[in-house]
Amino acid sequence: MDFPMHDAAALAPCTLSTEDVFEGPEKKLEVYFRTSVSQPSGFRQYGAEAWSELLSLAACTILNQRSNDHCDAYLLSESSLFVFADRVILKTCGTTTLLLVLPRLLEMAATAGTALERLQYGHLRYKFPQLQLYPSRSHDEERAYLVAMFGEGVHALTVGPADGCCWHVLAVEGRAAVAAPRPLPAQLNKWQMALPSLAGEDILEVAMEGLSAEVCALFGFERGPDGKDVAGWGPLPDGALARAMTTSCGLADLLPGALIDDWAFEPCGYSMNALAGPYYYTVHVTPEVAFSYASFETNDPRFRAADLVERVVGCFSPSVVTLTLTSRDGTHRLPAYSRRDFERTAASAPTIEHKPLGNGAAVSYATYRAAERRAGLPLVKSFCDGALGLAAVPTPTASPEEA
């Protein structure tokens, strides 16, 4: 079924003060290292104390940890950290200074007897770029920081409209950069389904904006005069509210059997990590109506299927959905999802791009826009065209070189 698109130009502009806003879209650092023969546990030899020291450089802290045979998953004050033996994935929201962890991470790699194979850094365009701190005040500044560390061999890529819901990506390849995927295990369990797309170590990211009013209320924790929170949860013991949010939005049903670690923030907000075999899943929700945002990320290839993407989107009822698939070997791309697959959000036909990223890797990008209000809150024009307007913008923090 087709629906008329929102006329973005007809939507009212949004003006907010710096105290009112939070940057939901996350920065994401994904770093691959060579497997160390002498220290096969690699980065997993480091415990929470070592990671806390590293995370302090990004201005975030550890809230909780879950582990399985493949990965240590840390839930953070601003998003998530996943530690594999030879791979580190760090995702932080707000005005965190994610790139500043790199020197310390490379020191940890040297101690672990390994070296950089490939680094990828990226994020959806910021809603409030004026609030970002060095070295993330612009895509050019982020690239310059990596060039200062690694030289001119930094690959830069932007997919999607530069003045809209675009995705910025940077990549660095070490001397041991390998385009070919790792070999698959001989035995596959239920979380390792024999799909052709499993041949690469690919990461699907779903960024959702303009969540419905009901979804925004679901992830609220603001208490009224009667002692109940605005969402109507009522008094709940520690941890129970997060579990209730996970169940109520549909994520628990989406990840049966997974090891889930969830967290409800005050006065609002939600984060979740989950592990299932070699796969990780992470969700983060910024539910303030004026700049609502939710993200879902996984390396599980099953979630590229149209029905699972639709279920993810259905958990949050957004007005705009941006999908990216980063393929290490460059052979996989996003399917051409039809309108029927996104009927729950009444999405328009997407803009699809597939671009190479350095030696062998590639990024696929697609964006979908809801056609009716019932699919979520309509976005103000600035959501579609770039940053939201701010009534007051602070002077960005000077870089070390500028101080």
Side-chain angles (χ1 to χ4, degrees):
M1 182 180 297
D2 293 342
F3 297 97
M5 290 284 295
H6 281 305
D7 180 2
L11 299 176
C14 181
T15 301
L16 301 166
S17 71
T18 58
E19 291 78 16
D20 294 331
V21 302
F22 183 80
E23 187 69 67
E26 306 95 343
K27 311 169 184 74
K28 205 271 289 285
L29 185 64
E30 180 184 356
V31 193
Y32 294 85
F33 296 87
R34 288 181 290 178
T35 301
S36 173
V37 177
S38 61
Q39 302 182 58
S41 61
F43 282 92
R44 298 193 71 188
Q45 69 184 273
Y46 297 111
E49 183 176 352
W51 293 114
S52 291
E53 179 185 344
L54 176 141
L55 290 166
S56 67
L57 300 171
C60 58
T61 58
I62 295 173
L63 299 176
N64 207 21
Q65 176 191 351
R66 293 284 189 272
S67 298
N68 68 4
D69 292 340
H70 301 268
C71 177
D72 300 318
Y74 295 87
L75 205 58
L76 308 181
S77 56
E78 282 84 8
S79 303
S80 299
L81 167 67
F82 297 92
V83 180
F84 297 81
D86 58 356
R87 177 175 34 154
V88 174
I89 298 171
L90 178 53
K91 188 169 187 172
T92 63
C93 55
T95 56
T96 48
T97 51
L98 177 55
L99 287 174
L100 296 184
V101 310
L102 276 173
R104 177 58 184 147
L105 184 62
L106 295 179
E107 290 176 3
M108 295 169 71
T111 302
T114 186
L116 176 69
E117 180 181 288
R118 182 177 182 84
L119 176 155
Q120 291 179 182
Y121 170 82
H123 55 82
L124 185 69
R125 60 90 181 92
Y126 298 129
K127 294 180 182 177
F128 311 107
Q130 305 95 323
L131 302 184
Q132 291 299 316
L133 307 177
Y134 175 84
S136 293
R137 294 171 298 187
S138 70
H139 188 46
D140 288 340
E141 186 174 69
E142 291 169 329
R143 182 183 182 280
Y145 183 83
L146 292 182
V147 168
M149 287 193 67
F150 300 104
E152 289 296 333
V154 177
H155 304 283
L157 177 66
T158 296
V159 288
D163 60 348
C165 293
C166 61
W167 204 281
H168 298 295
V169 188
L170 296 167
V172 176
E173 293 162 343
R175 294 178 181 177
V178 178
R182 289 177 173 79
L184 296 177
Q187 300 282 327
L188 298 178
N189 62 27
K190 68 177 181 177
W191 295 100
Q192 295 169 296
M193 300 174 66
L195 299 175
S197 55
L198 189 58
E201 292 180 340
D202 305 337
I203 292 180
L204 174 72
E205 298 178 67
V206 186
M208 296 163 278
E209 300 178 281
L211 313 184
S212 73
E214 293 77 13
V215 168
C216 289
L218 176 67
F219 293 102
F221 192 45
E222 182 179 353
R223 296 202 177 279
D226 60 356
K228 282 192 172 185
D229 67 285
V230 174
W233 293 114
L236 291 171
D238 288 345
L241 178 59
R243 290 192 294 273
M245 290 176 176
T246 302
T247 300
S248 297
C249 74
L251 286 171
D253 289 338
L254 196 62
L255 299 169
L259 177 63
I260 291 178
D261 187 13
D262 43 23
W263 194 278
F265 293 89
E266 293 192 49
C268 62
Y270 170 87
S271 287
M272 184 211 76
N273 289 341
L275 297 173
Y279 302 129
Y280 75 91
Y281 314 82
T282 185
V283 172
H284 302 282
V285 182
T286 300
E288 289 89 336
V289 172
F291 45 91
S292 61
Y293 172 84
S295 66
F296 175 91
E297 176 180 330
T298 184
N299 63 338
D300 185 345
R302 298 178 311 129
F303 277 80
R304 279 172 253 165
D307 61 325
L308 288 180
V309 172
E310 183 177 2
R311 287 180 64 186
V312 169
V313 172
C315 290
F316 303 101
S317 189
S319 292
V320 170
V321 180
T322 301
L323 303 171
T324 62
L325 178 68
T326 304
S327 173
R328 284 194 71 198
D329 63 8
T331 60
H332 305 122
R333 60 181 65 201
L334 288 171
Y337 300 112
S338 70
R339 284 189 175 91
R340 289 188 300 276
D341 297 328
F342 288 88
E343 190 172 40
R344 194 174 297 178
T345 59
S348 69
T351 299
I352 300 176
E353 297 183 32
H354 183 79
K355 293 184 177 181
L357 180 64
N359 181 24
V363 177
S364 284
Y365 163 97
T367 184
Y368 299 80
R369 191 179 302 276
E372 285 198 336
R373 186 181 178 87
R374 67 172 179 81
L377 294 175
L379 298 179
V380 297
K381 183 178 187 296
S382 46
F383 260 124
C384 311
D385 296 343
L388 290 176
L390 291 176
V393 180
T395 301
T397 299
S399 70
E401 294 82 357
E402 297 167 339

